[in-house]
Amino acid sequence: MIKKLLFILFIANVVISCSTDVNEVEDVYGENNVQALALTADETKLINLVNTYRSNNNLKPLKLHVSASSEAKKHSDYMLAATVVSHDNWTERANAINGEDPIQAASENVAKDENVNHILRVWKGSVNGHNETLLGDYTHAGVGIVKCQDGNLWTTMIFVKK
């Protein structure tokens, strides 16, 4: 009984201690499909930093993808609850995105850090494929970041080729 109470208090603390400052961003993906997507300031900053990096490497910017962002946000919540950075359940996320809006390919980068600039620097310097994903043949992306009181940003960015 005490373990259940402690678990409930832990989950309540996680929900209360994590925030989502929301910015409205217009999402255009597809010929005539315009949808509003709520992004936090950190999510907006990360997608802009990634697009600047891609532009500096003569690549087209990534457009926001609603379903990928939704799946990215869910995965960041999952990582926070599990207290581990992971690619757990990747196949399920990719299938969910494909089921909503057919895609040709997808990949993801994940991280936990206090600063989106540092997250991007780590991904760029990675020998584990993160930089290749940033500069990959993708057309769209979704991002989900959960920011907690301790300053950590639990981050998932999903890259999609339509």
Side-chain angles (χ1 to χ4, degrees):
M1 180 69 170
I2 291 176
K3 286 184 179 181
K4 278 187 178 180
L5 181 59
L6 288 174
F7 179 73
I8 291 169
L9 289 174
F10 170 76
I11 296 300
N13 182 48
V14 167
V15 170
I16 292 167
S17 68
C18 298
S19 67
T20 53
D21 301 324
V22 177
N23 293 326
E24 283 296 317
V25 175
E26 197 170 300
D27 170 49
V28 182
Y29 72 100
E31 293 279 320
N32 299 308
N33 189 359
V34 178
Q35 298 184 22
L37 178 65
L39 293 180
T40 67
D42 288 320
E43 291 165 343
T44 301
K45 184 174 182 178
L46 183 58
I47 193 80
N48 289 335
L49 287 169
V50 168
N51 277 335
T52 297
Y53 180 56
R54 287 176 60 85
S55 176
N56 291 342
N57 283 277
N58 300 314
L59 296 170
K60 291 182 179 180
L62 300 168
K63 297 177 184 176
L64 287 172
H65 192 280
V66 172
S67 182
S69 288
S70 175
E71 291 299 318
K73 180 70 85 176
K74 288 179 203 173
H75 186 63
S76 293
D77 285 332
Y78 168 85
M79 291 190 304
L80 170 66
T83 64
V84 64
V85 175
S86 75
H87 294 285
D88 290 356
N89 308 310
W90 164 242
T91 302
E92 289 82 354
R93 280 190 299 290
N95 288 338
I97 295 165
N98 190 49
E100 296 247 342
D101 185 19
I103 58 175
Q104 296 178 35
S107 187
E108 76 177 352
N109 283 351
V110 293
K112 180 186 96 170
D113 201 291
E114 295 180 0
N115 180 295
V116 293
N117 292 312
H118 187 252
I119 288 170
L120 182 61
R121 274 195 307 275
V122 169
W123 285 347
K124 287 167 38 176
S126 171
V127 295
N128 294 326
H130 298 99
N131 191 53
E132 288 82 2
T133 299
L134 290 169
L135 300 176
D137 185 21
Y138 299 106
T139 56
H140 295 72
V143 61
I145 298 177
V146 178
K147 182 177 184 176
C148 292
Q149 284 180 338
D150 66 2
N152 281 309
L153 305 173
W154 293 83
T155 305
T156 305
M157 189 162 183
I158 298 175
F159 299 78
V160 174
K161 180 176 182 178
K162 290 192 47 132

